Amino acid sequence: MNRMQMIDTAHLNALRDRIYNIRFAGNWKLLFGSIGYNLYIARQLIKVWGRGNEMLHTDKSGFTKALLMDHALSDEEWFAVQFSNYVKDTREDMLACMAICFFHWAGRKQLDLSGISKSLRKDYSLAKDFIGKLSFNEDINFAFSVFFNRKVSSLQEKVESSLICLFLLAEKHNIDLLWHIDKRLEYAECKGALRKLPVNFNTRCRNRL
């Protein structure tokens, strides 16, 4: 059994509802209608196409170790700072943000995602060989060509297909997408704590050259 078939997709509707009920700040304020969702997706795609394979990977072990270090901040502040240092804006985080966008959209429209598991197993064998030959930029383009395909008129089908593609790309790049989604949601809930820190506090101490 391949890793993609082992992903637990039984609780995707619960994840959909959790994402939809979180109050996001910043760019997420745009997520109130179809135009807003499309604008957000377009901006994310531009970021990926602009940076492509130069995008950094998440230092997952460094992030985990940093969370265990002694600190004088609150747990929420410390989590937000270390997420910014080790996870935020990496290619893994980018995929998670895109997935969250589609989950949020599904929550707004109350789309049933329970059928994704079956489709995921079916589409895996069809797409695996194809995406295996693509670069990261081309992977993203492939994933969203499905969404922007005018022949597919159903929003349900577009959202499901886009999420399936993101899971496939995560599998290809050895990314635990559900873990990254969970950490991005936790960051969204803790992000407000950063406003309490001094203006000159360095939340970007990790070398990102």
Side-chain angles (χ1 to χ4, degrees), residues 73 81 194-205:
L73 304 177
V81 167
L194 290 178
R195 300 190 184 96
K196 303 175 184 178
L197 298 178
V199 176
N200 61 348
F201 189 89
N202 182 13
T203 63
R204 286 287 185 179
C205 54

Side-chain angles (χ1 to χ4, degrees), residues 64-97:
T64 302
K65 292 177 181 177
L67 290 180
L68 298 175
M69 294 173 60
D70 292 334
H71 57 86
L73 304 177
S74 69
D75 290 342
E76 291 79 11
E77 290 169 339
W78 189 247
F79 179 92
V81 167
Q82 300 312 326
F83 182 91
S84 295
N85 289 339
Y86 293 97
V87 182
K88 187 178 179 182
D89 294 333
T90 60
R91 63 174 60 191
E92 295 92 339
D93 186 47
M94 185 67 68
L95 286 183
C97 285

Side-chain angles (χ1 to χ4, degrees), residues 8 23 45 54 113 119 131 184:
D8 179 13
R23 292 187 176 182
L45 289 175
E54 296 179 359
L113 302 179
S119 300
I131 68 174
R184 167 54 75 163

Side-chain angles (χ1 to χ4, degrees), residues 95 98-99 102 143-144 162-171 177:
L95 286 183
M98 289 180 171
F102 286 113
F144 286 92
S162 297
L163 285 172
I164 287 170
C165 285
L166 292 179
F167 276 114
L168 290 172
L169 299 188
E171 191 272 345
L177 186 57

Side-chain angles (χ1 to χ4, degrees), residues 56-67:
L56 294 174
H57 289 283
T58 294
D59 184 357
K60 195 172 179 180
S61 62
F63 172 67
T64 302
K65 292 177 181 177
L67 290 180

